[in-house]
Amino acid sequence: MMLARTGVGKLRLIDFDYVTLSSLNRHASATRADVGTPKVQSLKQTIAAITPWVKVEAFADLWNIENEKEHDWLTGSDWVIDAIDNIKTKVDLLSYCHSKGLKVIASMGAGAKADPSHIQSADISQTIADPLARSVRRRLRMHPVHPVLAGIPVVYSTEVPSSDDPNALGLLPLPEEEFEKGKVDELAPFADFRVRILPVLGMIPAIFGMHVATYLVCELGGRTIKEPLAVKGRKKLWEKLAKDLTARETKWAGLEKQQRIPLTDQEVGFIFEELHRSKSSFPPFESLSRPTLVRWDFSKPLSVTNCVVMSTQEALKHEEGYRNGLSPVQVWGKEAVAAVQKRQLEATRWIDAIY
């Protein structure tokens, strides 16, 4: 609606979903009379009532790669806005647009959020604390057709509910009577879509949408928002971790002059934030006040697959154990070694997808 109000002359809407009573809390264009009608049709009618000169094409259909090949919806678009809930379809759309050189901006998760001061925009590679953004970023990096490292602006939230908050929100439970009726997975609109939903505070999706619309209008008007406010200290953290790892590797090699490690700051960030989720590599995967990166197997070169996250004390114990000829299992136990091996497989898949 704001794009139409601000002067965008042509809009193409694609959404398979319908207006429901439960969605009236957040759909600015919908009324009770629209319940049961396609969302795209409801929005088209509202835009026509406000700005009748705007050309709106509405398609009550699901976007996916197969349908795009058949209908060619996106070709020629100045911008594509991704507001898809299903993560597989979302990642496919972003990868597709990136591969075709189509400009795209994505909205991340507004569900279960309540603090608007945490909402911001950034490149997908620079997001932090948003579980959906993290998952999208990791899947894009490992996409089987067209991997993406960066270059997609997103709107996301850094709000993280406290783990001990008794009012923390999650997927809404299904009523018991739904289970009694039969297979609950059949309630999903499509095979790979979830049945349960996250509770949504109606104002939050609107704020996400305003961020997206503002970014787009500035882009179209030649007033590009060149450097959205990044999370403070994030790059500095990567640099510090890389510096500490360099010092540790130099000391281990017995050299006086620091040697350059074979990892970029971005790869250090991937190891710490994506691969090990900014936590210790060992169960129970605790958050560390002073994390450090350490080579896992000192008989092999340092690499993305051969680097783990530990506390300073754990790093000293790890190095001492290797000097004394102890295996990782002897130092840390089978469960910890299995956890590291699982992360190593993830890192291998990421490397295969990117390189």
Side-chain angles (χ1 to χ4, degrees), residues 8-41:
V8 174
K10 184 178 180 180
L11 296 166
R12 179 171 293 161
L13 313 174
I14 306 169
D15 192 345
F16 71 90
D17 210 356
Y18 285 67
V19 178
T20 63
L21 283 172
S22 63
S23 65
L24 290 179
N25 74 323
R26 58 189 181 276
H27 290 152
S29 68
T31 67
R32 287 182 63 91
D34 293 311
V35 172
T37 63
K39 291 179 179 178
V40 292
Q41 194 61 38

PDB file of all heavy atoms in Angstrom, residues 8-41:
ATOM      1  N   VAL A   8       4.925   4.397  -6.796  1.00  0.00           N
ATOM      2  CA  VAL A   8       5.236   3.242  -7.630  1.00  0.00           C
ATOM      3  C   VAL A   8       4.041   2.991  -8.556  1.00  0.00           C
ATOM      4  O   VAL A   8       2.897   2.899  -8.100  1.00  0.00           O
ATOM      5  CB  VAL A   8       5.523   1.996  -6.771  1.00  0.00           C
ATOM      6  CG1 VAL A   8       5.694   0.761  -7.644  1.00  0.00           C
ATOM      7  CG2 VAL A   8       6.789   2.226  -5.941  1.00  0.00           C
ATOM      8  N   GLY A   9       4.295   2.867  -9.852  1.00  0.00           N
ATOM      9  CA  GLY A   9       3.199   2.828 -10.824  1.00  0.00           C
ATOM     10  C   GLY A   9       2.691   1.457 -11.187  1.00  0.00           C
ATOM     11  O   GLY A   9       1.583   1.318 -11.724  1.00  0.00           O
ATOM     12  N   LYS A  10       3.491   0.412 -10.912  1.00  0.00           N
ATOM     13  CA  LYS A  10       3.058  -0.932 -11.288  1.00  0.00           C
ATOM     14  C   LYS A  10       3.477  -1.928 -10.224  1.00  0.00           C
ATOM     15  O   LYS A  10       4.634  -1.972  -9.821  1.00  0.00           O
ATOM     16  CB  LYS A  10       3.639  -1.332 -12.646  1.00  0.00           C
ATOM     17  CG  LYS A  10       3.160  -2.680 -13.150  1.00  0.00           C
ATOM     18  CD  LYS A  10       3.718  -3.008 -14.530  1.00  0.00           C
ATOM     19  CE  LYS A  10       3.234  -4.377 -15.020  1.00  0.00           C
ATOM     20  NZ  LYS A  10       3.782  -4.699 -16.366  1.00  0.00           N
ATOM     21  N   LEU A  11       2.536  -2.734  -9.782  1.00  0.00           N
ATOM     22  CA  LEU A  11       2.794  -3.741  -8.755  1.00  0.00           C
ATOM     23  C   LEU A  11       2.263  -5.093  -9.220  1.00  0.00           C
ATOM     24  O   LEU A  11       1.174  -5.179  -9.776  1.00  0.00           O
ATOM     25  CB  LEU A  11       2.109  -3.356  -7.438  1.00  0.00           C
ATOM     26  CG  LEU A  11       2.598  -2.077  -6.749  1.00  0.00           C
ATOM     27  CD1 LEU A  11       1.615  -1.663  -5.677  1.00  0.00           C
ATOM     28  CD2 LEU A  11       3.986  -2.300  -6.152  1.00  0.00           C
ATOM     29  N   ARG A  12       3.040  -6.121  -8.972  1.00  0.00           N
ATOM     30  CA  ARG A  12       2.594  -7.486  -9.264  1.00  0.00           C
ATOM     31  C   ARG A  12       2.591  -8.259  -7.949  1.00  0.00           C
ATOM     32  O   ARG A  12       3.628  -8.411  -7.302  1.00  0.00           O
ATOM     33  CB  ARG A  12       3.519  -8.146 -10.284  1.00  0.00           C
ATOM     34  CG  ARG A  12       3.126  -9.594 -10.633  1.00  0.00           C
ATOM     35  CD  ARG A  12       3.956 -10.090 -11.811  1.00  0.00           C
ATOM     36  NE  ARG A  12       3.596  -9.352 -13.025  1.00  0.00           N
ATOM     37  CZ  ARG A  12       4.365  -9.291 -14.108  1.00  0.00           C
ATOM     38  NH1 ARG A  12       5.533  -9.903 -14.132  1.00  0.00           N
ATOM     39  NH2 ARG A  12       3.960  -8.617 -15.165  1.00  0.00           N
ATOM     40  N   LEU A  13       1.427  -8.734  -7.536  1.00  0.00           N
ATOM     41  CA  LEU A  13       1.257  -9.417  -6.254  1.00  0.00           C
ATOM     42  C   LEU A  13       1.103 -10.921  -6.475  1.00  0.00           C
ATOM     43  O   LEU A  13       0.282 -11.340  -7.289  1.00  0.00           O
ATOM     44  CB  LEU A  13       0.022  -8.875  -5.529  1.00  0.00           C
ATOM     45  CG  LEU A  13      -0.124  -7.341  -5.478  1.00  0.00           C
ATOM     46  CD1 LEU A  13      -1.475  -6.969  -4.861  1.00  0.00           C
ATOM     47  CD2 LEU A  13       1.025  -6.721  -4.704  1.00  0.00           C
ATOM     48  N   ILE A  14       1.883 -11.711  -5.730  1.00  0.00           N
ATOM     49  CA  ILE A  14       1.806 -13.172  -5.846  1.00  0.00           C
ATOM     50  C   ILE A  14       1.698 -13.767  -4.444  1.00  0.00           C
ATOM     51  O   ILE A  14       2.613 -13.620  -3.627  1.00  0.00           O
ATOM     52  CB  ILE A  14       3.055 -13.747  -6.553  1.00  0.00           C
ATOM     53  CG1 ILE A  14       3.281 -13.059  -7.894  1.00  0.00           C
ATOM     54  CG2 ILE A  14       2.918 -15.255  -6.742  1.00  0.00           C
ATOM     55  CD1 ILE A  14       4.630 -13.370  -8.517  1.00  0.00           C
ATOM     56  N   ASP A  15       0.589 -14.415  -4.154  1.00  0.00           N
ATOM     57  CA  ASP A  15       0.387 -15.037  -2.845  1.00  0.00           C
ATOM     58  C   ASP A  15      -0.771 -16.026  -2.958  1.00  0.00           C
ATOM     59  O   ASP A  15      -1.851 -15.672  -3.440  1.00  0.00           O
ATOM     60  CB  ASP A  15       0.074 -13.987  -1.783  1.00  0.00           C
ATOM     61  CG  ASP A  15       0.139 -14.543  -0.360  1.00  0.00           C
ATOM     62  OD1 ASP A  15       0.143 -15.784  -0.201  1.00  0.00           O
ATOM     63  OD2 ASP A  15       0.189 -13.730   0.579  1.00  0.00           O
ATOM     64  N   PHE A  16      -0.533 -17.237  -2.495  1.00  0.00           N
ATOM     65  CA  PHE A  16      -1.574 -18.270  -2.579  1.00  0.00           C
ATOM     66  C   PHE A  16      -2.580 -18.172  -1.445  1.00  0.00           C
ATOM     67  O   PHE A  16      -3.658 -18.780  -1.494  1.00  0.00           O
ATOM     68  CB  PHE A  16      -0.931 -19.661  -2.542  1.00  0.00           C
ATOM     69  CG  PHE A  16      -0.372 -20.022  -1.193  1.00  0.00           C
ATOM     70  CD1 PHE A  16      -1.157 -20.666  -0.239  1.00  0.00           C
ATOM     71  CD2 PHE A  16       0.930 -19.701  -0.858  1.00  0.00           C
ATOM     72  CE1 PHE A  16      -0.653 -20.979   1.013  1.00  0.00           C
ATOM     73  CE2 PHE A  16       1.454 -20.018   0.378  1.00  0.00           C
ATOM     74  CZ  PHE A  16       0.651 -20.654   1.318  1.00  0.00           C
ATOM     75  N   ASP A  17      -2.256 -17.404  -0.387  1.00  0.00           N
ATOM     76  CA  ASP A  17      -3.024 -17.441   0.859  1.00  0.00           C
ATOM     77  C   ASP A  17      -4.301 -16.605   0.783  1.00  0.00           C
ATOM     78  O   ASP A  17      -4.441 -15.716  -0.063  1.00  0.00           O
ATOM     79  CB  ASP A  17      -2.153 -16.950   2.004  1.00  0.00           C
ATOM     80  CG  ASP A  17      -2.533 -17.600   3.324  1.00  0.00           C
ATOM     81  OD1 ASP A  17      -3.522 -18.363   3.340  1.00  0.00           O
ATOM     82  OD2 ASP A  17      -1.837 -17.355   4.329  1.00  0.00           O
ATOM     83  N   TYR A  18      -5.206 -16.902   1.739  1.00  0.00           N
ATOM     84  CA  TYR A  18      -6.494 -16.223   1.809  1.00  0.00           C
ATOM     85  C   TYR A  18      -6.616 -15.460   3.136  1.00  0.00           C
ATOM     86  O   TYR A  18      -5.981 -15.820   4.129  1.00  0.00           O
ATOM     87  CB  TYR A  18      -7.651 -17.232   1.699  1.00  0.00           C
ATOM     88  CG  TYR A  18      -7.872 -17.746   0.301  1.00  0.00           C
ATOM     89  CD1 TYR A  18      -6.934 -18.555  -0.340  1.00  0.00           C
ATOM     90  CD2 TYR A  18      -9.026 -17.410  -0.414  1.00  0.00           C
ATOM     91  CE1 TYR A  18      -7.128 -19.017  -1.625  1.00  0.00           C
ATOM     92  CE2 TYR A  18      -9.245 -17.863  -1.712  1.00  0.00           C
ATOM     93  CZ  TYR A  18      -8.284 -18.666  -2.309  1.00  0.00           C
ATOM     94  OH  TYR A  18      -8.489 -19.116  -3.596  1.00  0.00           O
ATOM     95  N   VAL A  19      -7.428 -14.428   3.131  1.00  0.00           N
ATOM     96  CA  VAL A  19      -7.686 -13.664   4.348  1.00  0.00           C
ATOM     97  C   VAL A  19      -8.484 -14.517   5.321  1.00  0.00           C
ATOM     98  O   VAL A  19      -9.477 -15.150   4.935  1.00  0.00           O
ATOM     99  CB  VAL A  19      -8.471 -12.370   4.026  1.00  0.00           C
ATOM    100  CG1 VAL A  19      -8.779 -11.602   5.319  1.00  0.00           C
ATOM    101  CG2 VAL A  19      -7.699 -11.494   3.055  1.00  0.00           C
ATOM    102  N   THR A  20      -8.050 -14.537   6.580  1.00  0.00           N
ATOM    103  CA  THR A  20      -8.756 -15.275   7.628  1.00  0.00           C
ATOM    104  C   THR A  20      -9.059 -14.321   8.785  1.00  0.00           C
ATOM    105  O   THR A  20      -8.487 -13.226   8.875  1.00  0.00           O
ATOM    106  CB  THR A  20      -7.898 -16.435   8.160  1.00  0.00           C
ATOM    107  OG1 THR A  20      -6.710 -15.893   8.767  1.00  0.00           O
ATOM    108  CG2 THR A  20      -7.519 -17.386   7.037  1.00  0.00           C
ATOM    109  N   LEU A  21      -9.946 -14.759   9.665  1.00  0.00           N
ATOM    110  CA  LEU A  21     -10.248 -13.945  10.846  1.00  0.00           C
ATOM    111  C   LEU A  21      -9.002 -13.702  11.683  1.00  0.00           C
ATOM    112  O   LEU A  21      -8.784 -12.609  12.206  1.00  0.00           O
ATOM    113  CB  LEU A  21     -11.325 -14.635  11.691  1.00  0.00           C
ATOM    114  CG  LEU A  21     -12.766 -14.535  11.190  1.00  0.00           C
ATOM    115  CD1 LEU A  21     -13.672 -15.424  12.033  1.00  0.00           C
ATOM    116  CD2 LEU A  21     -13.253 -13.088  11.217  1.00  0.00           C
ATOM    117  N   SER A  22      -8.167 -14.728  11.797  1.00  0.00           N
ATOM    118  CA  SER A  22      -6.973 -14.617  12.635  1.00  0.00           C
ATOM    119  C   SER A  22      -5.916 -13.695  12.040  1.00  0.00           C
ATOM    120  O   SER A  22      -5.009 -13.250  12.751  1.00  0.00           O
ATOM    121  CB  SER A  22      -6.356 -16.001  12.867  1.00  0.00           C
ATOM    122  OG  SER A  22      -5.913 -16.569  11.651  1.00  0.00           O
ATOM    123  N   SER A  23      -6.011 -13.391  10.751  1.00  0.00           N
ATOM    124  CA  SER A  23      -5.006 -12.530  10.121  1.00  0.00           C
ATOM    125  C   SER A  23      -5.446 -11.076  10.041  1.00  0.00           C
ATOM    126  O   SER A  23      -4.681 -10.224   9.580  1.00  0.00           O
ATOM    127  CB  SER A  23      -4.668 -13.050   8.723  1.00  0.00           C
ATOM    128  OG  SER A  23      -5.787 -12.975   7.864  1.00  0.00           O
ATOM    129  N   LEU A  24      -6.645 -10.759  10.490  1.00  0.00           N
ATOM    130  CA  LEU A  24      -7.132  -9.383  10.420  1.00  0.00           C
ATOM    131  C   LEU A  24      -6.352  -8.442  11.338  1.00  0.00           C
ATOM    132  O   LEU A  24      -6.405  -7.227  11.172  1.00  0.00           O
ATOM    133  CB  LEU A  24      -8.620  -9.316  10.764  1.00  0.00           C
ATOM    134  CG  LEU A  24      -9.591  -9.922   9.739  1.00  0.00           C
ATOM    135  CD1 LEU A  24     -11.032  -9.796  10.227  1.00  0.00           C
ATOM    136  CD2 LEU A  24      -9.432  -9.244   8.380  1.00  0.00           C
ATOM    137  N   ASN A  25      -5.631  -9.012  12.326  1.00  0.00           N
ATOM    138  CA  ASN A  25      -4.880  -8.158  13.254  1.00  0.00           C
ATOM    139  C   ASN A  25      -3.674  -7.497  12.586  1.00  0.00           C
ATOM    140  O   ASN A  25      -3.086  -6.574  13.138  1.00  0.00           O
ATOM    141  CB  ASN A  25      -4.419  -8.969  14.470  1.00  0.00           C
ATOM    142  CG  ASN A  25      -3.269  -9.905  14.153  1.00  0.00           C
ATOM    143  OD1 ASN A  25      -3.218 -10.484  13.065  1.00  0.00           O
ATOM    144  ND2 ASN A  25      -2.358 -10.068  15.093  1.00  0.00           N
ATOM    145  N   ARG A  26      -3.277  -7.962  11.404  1.00  0.00           N
ATOM    146  CA  ARG A  26      -2.059  -7.428  10.804  1.00  0.00           C
ATOM    147  C   ARG A  26      -2.191  -7.062   9.321  1.00  0.00           C
ATOM    148  O   ARG A  26      -1.241  -6.552   8.744  1.00  0.00           O
ATOM    149  CB  ARG A  26      -0.909  -8.426  10.959  1.00  0.00           C
ATOM    150  CG  ARG A  26      -1.180  -9.796  10.336  1.00  0.00           C
ATOM    151  CD  ARG A  26      -0.087 -10.795  10.733  1.00  0.00           C
ATOM    152  NE  ARG A  26      -0.289 -12.111  10.158  1.00  0.00           N
ATOM    153  CZ  ARG A  26      -1.067 -13.050  10.670  1.00  0.00           C
ATOM    154  NH1 ARG A  26      -1.748 -12.805  11.784  1.00  0.00           N
ATOM    155  NH2 ARG A  26      -1.170 -14.232  10.097  1.00  0.00           N
ATOM    156  N   HIS A  27      -3.332  -7.321   8.692  1.00  0.00           N
ATOM    157  CA  HIS A  27      -3.492  -7.005   7.277  1.00  0.00           C
ATOM    158  C   HIS A  27      -4.244  -5.692   7.127  1.00  0.00           C
ATOM    159  O   HIS A  27      -5.466  -5.634   7.269  1.00  0.00           O
ATOM    160  CB  HIS A  27      -4.230  -8.139   6.552  1.00  0.00           C
ATOM    161  CG  HIS A  27      -3.398  -9.373   6.435  1.00  0.00           C
ATOM    162  ND1 HIS A  27      -3.940 -10.633   6.354  1.00  0.00           N
ATOM    163  CD2 HIS A  27      -2.050  -9.555   6.410  1.00  0.00           C
ATOM    164  CE1 HIS A  27      -2.970 -11.529   6.278  1.00  0.00           C
ATOM    165  NE2 HIS A  27      -1.824 -10.892   6.317  1.00  0.00           N
ATOM    166  N   ALA A  28      -3.485  -4.635   6.817  1.00  0.00           N
ATOM    167  CA  ALA A  28      -4.063  -3.287   6.791  1.00  0.00           C
ATOM    168  C   ALA A  28      -5.140  -3.127   5.736  1.00  0.00           C
ATOM    169  O   ALA A  28      -6.036  -2.293   5.871  1.00  0.00           O
ATOM    170  CB  ALA A  28      -2.949  -2.265   6.563  1.00  0.00           C
ATOM    171  N   SER A  29      -5.078  -3.925   4.671  1.00  0.00           N
ATOM    172  CA  SER A  29      -6.033  -3.752   3.578  1.00  0.00           C
ATOM    173  C   SER A  29      -7.305  -4.561   3.762  1.00  0.00           C
ATOM    174  O   SER A  29      -8.288  -4.345   3.051  1.00  0.00           O
ATOM    175  CB  SER A  29      -5.379  -4.164   2.251  1.00  0.00           C
ATOM    176  OG  SER A  29      -5.133  -5.564   2.234  1.00  0.00           O
ATOM    177  N   ALA A  30      -7.314  -5.509   4.693  1.00  0.00           N
ATOM    178  CA  ALA A  30      -8.423  -6.470   4.792  1.00  0.00           C
ATOM    179  C   ALA A  30      -9.469  -6.058   5.823  1.00  0.00           C
ATOM    180  O   ALA A  30      -9.148  -5.472   6.859  1.00  0.00           O
ATOM    181  CB  ALA A  30      -7.873  -7.850   5.135  1.00  0.00           C
ATOM    182  N   THR A  31     -10.716  -6.373   5.527  1.00  0.00           N
ATOM    183  CA  THR A  31     -11.818  -6.184   6.458  1.00  0.00           C
ATOM    184  C   THR A  31     -12.520  -7.530   6.644  1.00  0.00           C
ATOM    185  O   THR A  31     -12.177  -8.517   5.999  1.00  0.00           O
ATOM    186  CB  THR A  31     -12.829  -5.162   5.906  1.00  0.00           C
ATOM    187  OG1 THR A  31     -13.469  -5.732   4.746  1.00  0.00           O
ATOM    188  CG2 THR A  31     -12.131  -3.861   5.526  1.00  0.00           C
ATOM    189  N   ARG A  32     -13.508  -7.574   7.512  1.00  0.00           N
ATOM    190  CA  ARG A  32     -14.251  -8.822   7.731  1.00  0.00           C
ATOM    191  C   ARG A  32     -14.908  -9.298   6.444  1.00  0.00           C
ATOM    192  O   ARG A  32     -15.071 -10.497   6.213  1.00  0.00           O
ATOM    193  CB  ARG A  32     -15.306  -8.622   8.824  1.00  0.00           C
ATOM    194  CG  ARG A  32     -14.744  -8.523  10.233  1.00  0.00           C
ATOM    195  CD  ARG A  32     -15.851  -8.366  11.265  1.00  0.00           C
ATOM    196  NE  ARG A  32     -16.729  -9.523  11.288  1.00  0.00           N
ATOM    197  CZ  ARG A  32     -16.558 -10.584  12.065  1.00  0.00           C
ATOM    198  NH1 ARG A  32     -15.501 -10.653  12.858  1.00  0.00           N
ATOM    199  NH2 ARG A  32     -17.423 -11.570  12.055  1.00  0.00           N
ATOM    200  N   ALA A  33     -15.274  -8.350   5.596  1.00  0.00           N
ATOM    201  CA  ALA A  33     -15.911  -8.730   4.328  1.00  0.00           C
ATOM    202  C   ALA A  33     -14.936  -9.461   3.407  1.00  0.00           C
ATOM    203  O   ALA A  33     -15.360 -10.162   2.483  1.00  0.00           O
ATOM    204  CB  ALA A  33     -16.454  -7.486   3.630  1.00  0.00           C
ATOM    205  N   ASP A  34     -13.628  -9.308   3.661  1.00  0.00           N
ATOM    206  CA  ASP A  34     -12.619  -9.944   2.807  1.00  0.00           C
ATOM    207  C   ASP A  34     -12.264 -11.361   3.251  1.00  0.00           C
ATOM    208  O   ASP A  34     -11.541 -12.068   2.549  1.00  0.00           O
ATOM    209  CB  ASP A  34     -11.336  -9.110   2.788  1.00  0.00           C
ATOM    210  CG  ASP A  34     -11.527  -7.775   2.109  1.00  0.00           C
ATOM    211  OD1 ASP A  34     -12.088  -7.762   1.004  1.00  0.00           O
ATOM    212  OD2 ASP A  34     -11.124  -6.745   2.688  1.00  0.00           O
ATOM    213  N   VAL A  35     -12.742 -11.767   4.430  1.00  0.00           N
ATOM    214  CA  VAL A  35     -12.419 -13.107   4.939  1.00  0.00           C
ATOM    215  C   VAL A  35     -12.872 -14.162   3.926  1.00  0.00           C
ATOM    216  O   VAL A  35     -14.017 -14.152   3.465  1.00  0.00           O
ATOM    217  CB  VAL A  35     -13.082 -13.344   6.308  1.00  0.00           C
ATOM    218  CG1 VAL A  35     -12.912 -14.807   6.737  1.00  0.00           C
ATOM    219  CG2 VAL A  35     -12.478 -12.419   7.353  1.00  0.00           C
ATOM    220  N   GLY A  36     -11.951 -15.041   3.579  1.00  0.00           N
ATOM    221  CA  GLY A  36     -12.249 -16.084   2.606  1.00  0.00           C
ATOM    222  C   GLY A  36     -11.864 -15.731   1.185  1.00  0.00           C
ATOM    223  O   GLY A  36     -11.993 -16.558   0.287  1.00  0.00           O
ATOM    224  N   THR A  37     -11.376 -14.500   0.973  1.00  0.00           N
ATOM    225  CA  THR A  37     -10.950 -14.088  -0.366  1.00  0.00           C
ATOM    226  C   THR A  37      -9.422 -14.069  -0.427  1.00  0.00           C
ATOM    227  O   THR A  37      -8.754 -13.952   0.605  1.00  0.00           O
ATOM    228  CB  THR A  37     -11.481 -12.688  -0.718  1.00  0.00           C
ATOM    229  OG1 THR A  37     -10.913 -11.733   0.206  1.00  0.00           O
ATOM    230  CG2 THR A  37     -12.993 -12.645  -0.622  1.00  0.00           C
ATOM    231  N   PRO A  38      -8.831 -14.179  -1.611  1.00  0.00           N
ATOM    232  CA  PRO A  38      -7.369 -14.144  -1.726  1.00  0.00           C
ATOM    233  C   PRO A  38      -6.802 -12.830  -1.194  1.00  0.00           C
ATOM    234  O   PRO A  38      -7.367 -11.754  -1.424  1.00  0.00           O
ATOM    235  CB  PRO A  38      -7.127 -14.281  -3.232  1.00  0.00           C
ATOM    236  CG  PRO A  38      -8.356 -14.965  -3.755  1.00  0.00           C
ATOM    237  CD  PRO A  38      -9.475 -14.439  -2.918  1.00  0.00           C
ATOM    238  N   LYS A  39      -5.690 -12.912  -0.498  1.00  0.00           N
ATOM    239  CA  LYS A  39      -5.062 -11.708   0.045  1.00  0.00           C
ATOM    240  C   LYS A  39      -4.685 -10.725  -1.066  1.00  0.00           C
ATOM    241  O   LYS A  39      -4.808  -9.510  -0.890  1.00  0.00           O
ATOM    242  CB  LYS A  39      -3.818 -12.090   0.848  1.00  0.00           C
ATOM    243  CG  LYS A  39      -4.113 -12.825   2.140  1.00  0.00           C
ATOM    244  CD  LYS A  39      -2.827 -13.183   2.866  1.00  0.00           C
ATOM    245  CE  LYS A  39      -3.110 -13.901   4.173  1.00  0.00           C
ATOM    246  NZ  LYS A  39      -1.865 -14.288   4.872  1.00  0.00           N
ATOM    247  N   VAL A  40      -4.221 -11.262  -2.188  1.00  0.00           N
ATOM    248  CA  VAL A  40      -3.799 -10.374  -3.274  1.00  0.00           C
ATOM    249  C   VAL A  40      -4.980  -9.589  -3.836  1.00  0.00           C
ATOM    250  O   VAL A  40      -4.847  -8.433  -4.233  1.00  0.00           O
ATOM    251  CB  VAL A  40      -3.094 -11.171  -4.402  1.00  0.00           C
ATOM    252  CG1 VAL A  40      -1.755 -11.726  -3.915  1.00  0.00           C
ATOM    253  CG2 VAL A  40      -3.982 -12.289  -4.926  1.00  0.00           C
ATOM    254  N   GLN A  41      -6.156 -10.226  -3.863  1.00  0.00           N
ATOM    255  CA  GLN A  41      -7.333  -9.541  -4.386  1.00  0.00           C
ATOM    256  C   GLN A  41      -7.795  -8.452  -3.426  1.00  0.00           C
ATOM    257  O   GLN A  41      -8.188  -7.358  -3.847  1.00  0.00           O
ATOM    258  CB  GLN A  41      -8.472 -10.561  -4.605  1.00  0.00           C
ATOM    259  CG  GLN A  41      -9.626 -10.038  -5.446  1.00  0.00           C
ATOM    260  CD  GLN A  41      -9.179  -9.636  -6.854  1.00  0.00           C
ATOM    261  OE1 GLN A  41      -8.337 -10.297  -7.458  1.00  0.00           O
ATOM    262  NE2 GLN A  41      -9.724  -8.539  -7.364  1.00  0.00           N
TER     263      GLN A  41
END
